[in-house]
């Protein structure tokens, strides 16, 4: 019987995860509304965000809100032109958690959000995301969603 060399280098394929995301991302650009607590003013503020990409579990967006990791926010995601043909609500309202926030130029932040269960477990929201995925595959590179 051959003995094993316990000191040998071994490359475990499970140690290298190229894609950590649980859901595929869709590159798109549309505005949505974010409501967050402003700690400095001790009040809730509502403002826009510009989505860069979205998936069933979260999104990347740009906003003028000053957000911090682990902060909870409310989002209102409009369904745009999908409403008429798919019987979807005109807007999805739900919670999200800030995963990452990074300052960029002009007083804006690049923010990664993870959706709460009220969105990512909503079947209508899943249909909306699937519709965005389908539309993004048939568009030319110069076109944008919304």
């Amino acid at each position: 019987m051959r003995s094993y060399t316990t000191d040998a280098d071994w490359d475990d394929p499970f140690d290298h995860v190229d894609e950590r995301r649980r859901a595929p991302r869709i590159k798109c650009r549309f505005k949505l509304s974010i409501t967050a607590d402003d700690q400095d003013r001790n009040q809730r503020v509502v403002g826009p965000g510009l989505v860069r990409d979205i998936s069933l579990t979260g999104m990347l967006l740009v906003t003028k809100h000053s957000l911090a990791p682990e902060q909870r926010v409310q989002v209102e995601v409009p369904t745009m032109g999908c409403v008429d043909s798919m019987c979807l609500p005109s807007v999805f309202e739900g919670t999200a958690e800030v995963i990452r926030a990074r300052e960029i130029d002009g007083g804006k932040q690049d923010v990664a959000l993870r959706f709460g269960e009220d969105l990512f477990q909503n079947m209508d929201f899943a249909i909306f995301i699937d519709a965005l995925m389908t539309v993004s595959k048939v568009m030319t590179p110069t076109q944008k969603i919304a």
Side-chain angles (χ1 to χ4, degrees), residues 88-141:
L88 294 173
S90 60
V91 67
F92 287 103
E93 297 178 13
T95 59
E97 179 183 359
V98 177
I99 301 302
R100 182 178 69 253
R102 172 177 68 91
E103 292 290 329
I104 56 177
D105 62 332
K108 298 175 188 168
Q109 279 191 325
D110 209 17
V111 179
L113 298 177
R114 180 185 304 134
F115 295 134
E117 290 182 4
D118 50 355
L119 284 176
F120 79 78
Q121 290 190 352
N122 180 326
M123 185 58 73
D124 287 338
F125 188 69
I127 290 169
F128 169 66
I129 296 297
D130 190 50
L132 286 179
M133 178 82 68
T134 301
V135 169
S136 72
K137 288 180 181 178
V138 296
M139 297 179 84
T140 63

